[in-house]
Amino acid sequence: MDTAEALNQQAIAAYGAGSPKEAVRLWQQASALTPERVDILTYLGSALKGLDEPGAAAAHYEQALQLQPEQPQVLYNLGNIRQQLGQLQEAALCYRNVLKLEPGFALAAYNLGNVCRDLGHLHEAGECYRHAIQCDPNHAASHNNLGNTLKHAGKLDEAIACYEQALRCHGDYPDALYNLGNALYESED
């Protein structure tokens, strides 16, 4: 086993033992020895994200993507960071690229829906939530958020059906319970 791989294995063990800072230190050493190792860059990005260092995490994900651009999970992770940082256009691009590579990636479709919603593109957000539901029919948050877009569009009966479906998926989902209650109240007016 070469030195970089030994450091990588030590970092994995440290991370698994609950020592993310030590893992980052070891992965940084391994990456310095083998900057072409996409797996090490990805581990490093994930560990830094977990340590609430999104800028540093994004830099490592971007470096990994420069070496191997067609990595849906790395693109997804980068999209999450971009979304967290409020870089919504960049996040949307990452999620769209994930879905080009892996159309069935439900969470990428869901997160793209959230980004579109935050950008004010509610119709597109609704389409993304529908795509997420098609990929994972039991994803309660997608049903709930689709309900919100439908409610905003004045389609109260369809929104109620979405909230009810969200609750069938996850019986005690607080957002769906709240939204269903409000929608039922509004439907009585």
Side-chain angles (χ1 to χ4, degrees):
M1 178 180 313
D2 67 14
T3 304
E5 184 55 28
L7 289 165
N8 181 40
Q9 292 303 315
Q10 290 172 19
I12 291 170
Y15 195 79
S19 300
K21 289 182 181 179
E22 176 64 10
V24 165
R25 185 185 69 74
L26 292 165
W27 276 318
Q28 286 171 332
Q29 289 177 6
S31 183
L33 293 172
T34 56
E36 72 284 353
R37 289 273 309 262
V38 171
D39 60 334
I40 291 173
L41 292 167
T42 303
Y43 291 143
L44 192 49
S46 296
L48 288 164
K49 184 179 186 302
L51 290 171
D52 199 27
E53 296 184 36
H60 286 90
Y61 288 143
E62 288 169 348
Q63 190 177 352
L65 289 167
Q66 286 175 352
L67 295 167
Q68 288 182 354
E70 295 189 356
Q71 295 186 78
Q73 188 63 51
V74 178
L75 280 164
Y76 176 75
N77 292 347
L78 182 59
N80 289 343
I81 289 173
R82 295 292 182 221
Q83 187 176 4
Q84 175 188 351
L85 294 173
Q87 300 168 350
L88 300 182
Q89 296 291 348
E90 294 86 348
L93 180 62
C94 288
Y95 296 138
R96 284 188 178 100
N97 286 334
V98 169
L99 292 169
K100 284 179 190 172
L101 296 169
E102 197 173 314
F105 200 136
L107 289 177
Y110 170 74
N111 284 0
L112 180 57
N114 290 340
V115 168
C116 290
R117 176 201 62 210
D118 292 347
L119 289 168
H121 306 148
L122 296 183
H123 178 74
E124 187 178 357
E127 293 304 312
C128 293
Y129 297 135
R130 282 184 178 88
H131 183 99
I133 291 165
Q134 183 180 8
C135 298
D136 181 0
N138 294 315
H139 192 249
S142 293
H143 289 285
N144 181 68
N145 287 9
L146 176 58
N148 289 341
T149 62
L150 291 166
K151 183 178 175 211
H152 190 270
K155 299 176 181 179
L156 203 51
D157 290 339
E158 292 177 55
I160 288 170
C162 287
Y163 300 138
E164 289 171 341
Q165 184 59 40
L167 290 168
R168 280 191 284 280
C169 296
H170 189 296
D172 60 349
Y173 186 45
D175 291 347
L177 285 167
Y178 176 81
N179 291 332
L180 177 60
N182 283 336
L184 290 171
Y185 179 78
E186 287 179 33
S187 71
E188 293 176 1
D189 288 341

